[in-house]
C-alpha cells in the first residue's frame, strides 16, 4: 500500500514539474494576422494611373455570406472606413474579426466581399467597386515543445475589378516573409 502511495505521489510530482516547465515558457507565435488579407489602393503616379488621396479616403466594405452558408434573412454587414490623408494608402486589413465581428463561427472564406469607393456626395454614384470572391484560406497548428502556434499554409482569392475583369491573387506569404499586399488598381 505504501509503495502504491509513493508511486502515485512520485508520478504526480513528475507531472507537476514537467507542466511547470511549459508554464514558464512564453510563446511568441505572431500568428494573429496569418489569415488576414491586406489590400491597398494604387497611389497616383506621374502618369495619373493611381488614385488621389481624396478619392480613397472613404471606403465602404460589404460582407455577404456565401449562398451555401447563408441563413434565410441574412443581411450583409457594412463597414464605412473614413481615413485621414496620411493613412489612405496604408493597407486595409480584412480578417476573421477585422473590420467585421466574427459571426456564427464563420471564417474569412465563408463570405464574399465588396470594396466600394463612394462618390463625393452622399447620393452620388459609386466611383469604383471591387469584389473579392473564391477566398481560400488554409492553415495548420505547428507544435514546437510547449508552444502550439497557427501557421497559414495557403491564401488566395479572385479579385473582381471595375469593368468586369477579374484575376486570381495568391496572397500567401511564408513564415518570416513580409505579408503580401494586394494592390487595387484604378
Amino acid at each position: 500500500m505504501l509503495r502504491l502511495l509513493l508511486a502515485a505521489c512520485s508520478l504526480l510530482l513528475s507531472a507537476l514539474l514537467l507542466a511547470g516547465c511549459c508554464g514558464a515558457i512564453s510563446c511568441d507565435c505572431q500568428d494573429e494576422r496569418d489569415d488576414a488579407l491586406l489590400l491597398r489602393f494604387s497611389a497616383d503616379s506621374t502618369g495619373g494611373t493611381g488614385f488621389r488621396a481624396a478619392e480613397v479616403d472613404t471606403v465602404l466594405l460589404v460582407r455577404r455570406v456565401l449562398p451555401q452558408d447563408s441563413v434565410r434573412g441574412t443581411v450583409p454587414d457594412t463597414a464605412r472606413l473614413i481615413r485621414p490623408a496620411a493613412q489612405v494608402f496604408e493597407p486595409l486589413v480584412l480578417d476573421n474579426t477585422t473590420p467585421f465581428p466574427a459571426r456564427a463561427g464563420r471564417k474569412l472564406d465563408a463570405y464574399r466581399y465588396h470594396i466600394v469607393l463612394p462618390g463625393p456626395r452622399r447620393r452620388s454614384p459609386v466611383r469604383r467597386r471591387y469584389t473579392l470572391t473564391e477566398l481560400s484560406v488554409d492553415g495548420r497548428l505547428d507544435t514546437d515543445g510547449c508552444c502550439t502556434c497557427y501557421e497559414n499554409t495557403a491564401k488566395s482569392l479572385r479579385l473582381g475589378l471595375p469593368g468586369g475583369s477579374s484575376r486570381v491573387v495568391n496572397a500567401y506569404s511564408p513564415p518570416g516573409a513580409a505579408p503580401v499586399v494586394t494592390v487595387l488598381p484604378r
Side-chain angles (χ1 to χ4, degrees), residues 107-181:
K107 298 289 186 181
L108 186 70
D109 54 1
Y111 298 94
R112 176 178 15 144
Y113 298 87
H114 299 281
I115 301 167
V116 179
L117 294 177
R121 290 186 210 89
R122 186 172 177 95
R123 301 222 184 260
S124 60
V126 169
R127 284 188 196 160
R128 294 262 190 272
R129 180 185 310 264
Y130 301 86
T131 306
L132 307 178
T133 59
E134 300 175 26
L135 275 74
S136 176
V137 178
D138 290 314
R140 65 186 164 124
L141 293 176
D142 187 28
T143 303
D144 179 22
C146 294
C147 294
T148 301
C149 298
Y150 175 79
E151 182 180 311
N152 181 268
T153 58
K155 185 172 16 174
S156 65
L157 63 108
R158 177 169 294 281
L159 174 62
L161 301 168
S165 66
S166 69
R167 62 183 165 104
V168 174
V169 175
N170 179 5
Y172 170 71
S173 60
V180 173
V181 178

Side-chain angles (χ1 to χ4, degrees), residues 15 17 27 52 56-57 63 66-67 69 72-73 83 85 88 99-100 104 110 112 141 156 161 163 165 170-171 175:
L17 286 174
C27 298
R52 292 187 184 92
V56 293
D57 63 351
R63 176 176 78 170
L66 292 175
D69 212 17
R72 192 169 190 216
R83 304 180 299 165
V88 295
F100 303 104
R112 176 178 15 144
L141 293 176
S156 65
L161 301 168
S165 66
N170 179 5

Side-chain angles (χ1 to χ4, degrees), residues 3-79:
R3 278 188 180 175
L4 183 61
L5 183 60
L6 185 60
C9 287
S10 175
L11 185 62
L12 181 64
L13 183 61
S14 297
L16 287 173
L17 286 174
L18 288 176
C21 291
C22 283
I25 294 175
S26 121
C27 298
D28 186 21
C29 293
Q30 298 180 356
D31 59 1
E32 61 273 353
R33 292 273 185 237
D34 266 7
D35 286 345
L37 295 172
L38 302 176
L39 309 155
R40 182 178 54 78
F41 292 99
S42 61
D44 192 10
S45 63
T46 55
T49 57
F51 290 96
R52 292 187 184 92
E55 293 176 301
V56 293
D57 63 351
T58 301
V59 178
L60 295 176
L61 295 169
V62 180
R63 176 176 78 170
R64 295 179 187 273
V65 177
L66 292 175
Q68 71 268 16
D69 212 17
S70 70
V71 178
R72 192 169 190 216
T74 304
V75 296
D77 294 315
T78 305

